[in-house]
Structure formats: structure tokens, C-alpha cells
Amino acid sequence: MQEIIWVIQDSMDFAVLVFFAFFAVVILLSGIKIVPQAHRVVVERLGKFHRVLSPGVNFIFPVLDRPKATEWVFRRGLRKTSSLDMREQILDFPKQNIISRDNVVMEINAMLYFQISDPFKAIYEIANLPMALEKLTQTSLRSVMGEMELDEIFSKRSEINESLRSTLDEASDVWGVKVTRVEIQDVNPPESVQTAMQRQMEAERTRRAVVTEANGQRDAEVNRAEGKKRAIELEAEGMANARIRLAEAEAEALSKISEALMAHAGSKDPTSYLVALKYLESLKEMSAGDKTKMVYLPYEASSILSSVGAMKELFKERA
């Protein structure tokens, strides 16, 4: 009987030993934390911040250390997690009403791209980071666009995006967040404003078409005027060149006449020869015609006859 009691006691001791060994293994395994890539885990020791676990295998002190659980409220619901995603994330906000400087009410839909840069600040400096970013973006949209008119909002969308990004990045830096981009997706003014804008665009297109046509007609007139001017210049240049060549030919003829007179009459002056030639041409023209019944003789007939005599002698000698 005593031996049976000893066996039972030994079995109980072995069971307790196995239990404590199993408990120790569980405790040790609970101290192993595997953090995925691009994630961080904030660890608290006895309720106080201790350290941030990096991606890979990490060891924490069981019981005393525990990961900090975060509860973030999104529009789609509550999300509870102990791991912070360090990748770039997107917040898509619902449409909201904005009043521009010229008192036009419109609906704006925007998207925010952000990235957590400091896990400590993202958990301990703000209670609900996504909701805080959403409200901050909405107020910044009203502030920035409220200072612009409707036409400026449509034409300066890139400037608005950059202004919002700079404002949000500066304001959210205390939360350990880096705002990378802000994109305005839609700007929807009232239907009456859209109709007025459509009419304005049509009128602007018509005005541009009229201006383009007028400019084309003006350019065509200018080109035609330039062409006429160039043609006149070329014609004048051609006439001038012709006159120059005619004068050169006459000069060459006079030079040859002078040489001929010098060789046969002993004089270089071709004046008498030319005067006599012109008189004869004029008399021919004056007496030309079928109805002409008059004979014209110059007043100085003797001079002409003497010139004709000189021409006769000149041709005779040349013959």
C-alpha cells in the first residue's frame, strides 16, 4: 500500500513538473514577436513606453512587456491593431460643400496620401490619427478654396494641391506623419453655374473663331500688299536696269560715232550728226499719214541741209 502511495506521489510530481515546464515554454514563446516588413510595433513595459520593434524576430520580456494596441476609427468602422503600417496610405474623404470667394457653393472630393514617419508620435500624440487627418484636410480645403473664385479653383488646381499638401504636412508633423500628396478629384458646382459656364465657353470659342478669322484675313491682306510692293520694286528695279543698259548702249554708240567722226571728219563732237538725225525723224513723223497735205521744213533749213550734206559726205567716205 505504501508503495502505491509513493507511485501516486511520483506521478503527481511529474505532472506538476510537466505543467510548469509547459507553462514556462508558453511564457517564453509569448515573448517572441515577429514583425512584418514595413511595419512597426510599439512595446510598453508596465504601462509605459519602452521601445519600438523593427521588422523581423524580436524578443520582449513576458508579462512585463506588451505591444501597444491602437484603435483607429475610419468611416468604414473601427480598426484595432498593434502593428503600425509604415507604407504610404490613402484617405478618401466624402464630398463636402465649399463656398468660394464669389459665393458659389460647390462639392469637393479630395484624397490624401500620407506616411507614418514616427510611430511614437502617431500613437501618443493623437488619439485617432485617420479621423484627425480627415478633419484637418476638410478645414484646410475650406480655408484655401474660400479665398479663391470659381475660375481660379478650376484653373489653379495644381497650386491648390501643393498649398494643401504644405499646410497639412506642417500641421501633422507633430503627429509623426508625412503628407506626401493631396489630390482634388472632383469640383462640382451647381447645375445653374455649370449651364452658365457652358454658355461662357461657347461664347469664348465663338470669339476666338472670329478673332482667328479676322487675323487670317489681315495676314492675307498684308501678304498681298507685301507681294504687290515686292512686284512694284522688282518692276522698278527692272526698268532701272533697262534704262542703265540703254544708257550704256547709247554711250557706247556715241563713243563709236565720235570715233568715226574723228577718223573721217577730224572732230569728236557728234552733236551736229545727232541733231540732224533727230530733225529727220521728227519730219518723218510729222509728214506721216495718208491725209497729210503739208510739207514741214524747219526754220533753220540751211543748217539742216548742211548737216545732211555732212552726213552724205560721211556715208560716201565710209562707202
Side-chain angles (χ1 to χ4, degrees), residues 93 96 98 108-113 133 135-146 148 153 156-172 179-185 187:
F93 309 128
Q96 56 182 322
I98 301 294
I108 302 295
N109 186 17
M111 295 180 62
L112 175 68
Y113 295 79
L133 289 174
K135 298 301 180 183
L136 179 62
T137 304
Q138 291 175 350
T139 55
S140 299
L141 276 172
R142 294 189 180 98
S143 177
V144 172
M145 292 189 173
M148 295 183 175
I153 292 176
K156 298 181 179 180
R157 186 171 297 186
S158 60
E159 297 179 8
I160 295 174
N161 292 338
E162 180 60 27
S163 178
L164 287 172
R165 189 207 63 79
S166 177
T167 302
L168 294 173
D169 185 50
E170 182 179 357
S172 61
V179 176
T180 56
R181 285 184 295 170
V182 178
E183 297 292 339
I184 297 176
Q185 292 179 293
V187 178

Side-chain angles (χ1 to χ4, degrees), residues 121-139:
K121 292 182 179 180
I123 292 180
Y124 293 105
E125 296 295 337
I126 187 68
N128 190 357
L129 179 61
M131 186 63 66
L133 289 174
E134 180 177 344
K135 298 301 180 183
L136 179 62
T137 304
Q138 291 175 350
T139 55

Side-chain angles (χ1 to χ4, degrees), residues 77-137:
L78 178 66
R79 188 179 72 180
K80 185 175 181 180
T81 180
S82 60
S83 177
L84 295 180
D85 194 343
M86 304 299 290
R87 296 172 297 178
E88 188 174 15
Q89 303 179 55
I90 303 174
L91 283 180
D92 189 6
F93 309 128
K95 293 182 179 180
Q96 56 182 322
N97 293 329
I98 301 294
I99 302 178
S100 63
R101 189 171 62 183
D102 49 353
N103 297 324
V104 177
V105 181
M106 68 195 77
E107 288 185 345
I108 302 295
N109 186 17
M111 295 180 62
L112 175 68
Y113 295 79
F114 73 96
Q115 187 175 14
I116 297 176
S117 58
D118 191 338
F120 176 84
K121 292 182 179 180
I123 292 180
Y124 293 105
E125 296 295 337
I126 187 68
N128 190 357
L129 179 61
M131 186 63 66
L133 289 174
E134 180 177 344
K135 298 301 180 183
L136 179 62
T137 304

Side-chain angles (χ1 to χ4, degrees), residues 222-236:
V222 170
N223 291 333
R224 282 194 291 267
E226 290 291 337
K228 292 180 180 179
K229 178 182 177 182
R230 182 59 180 168
I232 293 173
E233 291 177 353
L234 292 175
E235 183 179 0

Side-chain angles (χ1 to χ4, degrees), residues 40-55:
R40 299 292 188 275
V41 175
V42 176
V43 175
E44 293 180 339
R45 173 169 292 179
L46 298 178
K48 184 180 179 180
F49 172 77
H50 177 56
R51 66 191 179 101
V52 177
L53 302 183
S54 59

Side-chain angles (χ1 to χ4, degrees), residues 44-73:
E44 293 180 339
R45 173 169 292 179
L46 298 178
K48 184 180 179 180
F49 172 77
H50 177 56
R51 66 191 179 101
V52 177
L53 302 183
S54 59
V57 179
N58 296 270
F59 297 94
I60 61 175
F61 198 91
V63 181
L64 298 181
D65 296 342
R66 64 181 182 87
K68 171 67 176 176
T70 57
E71 295 183 357
W72 285 349
V73 179

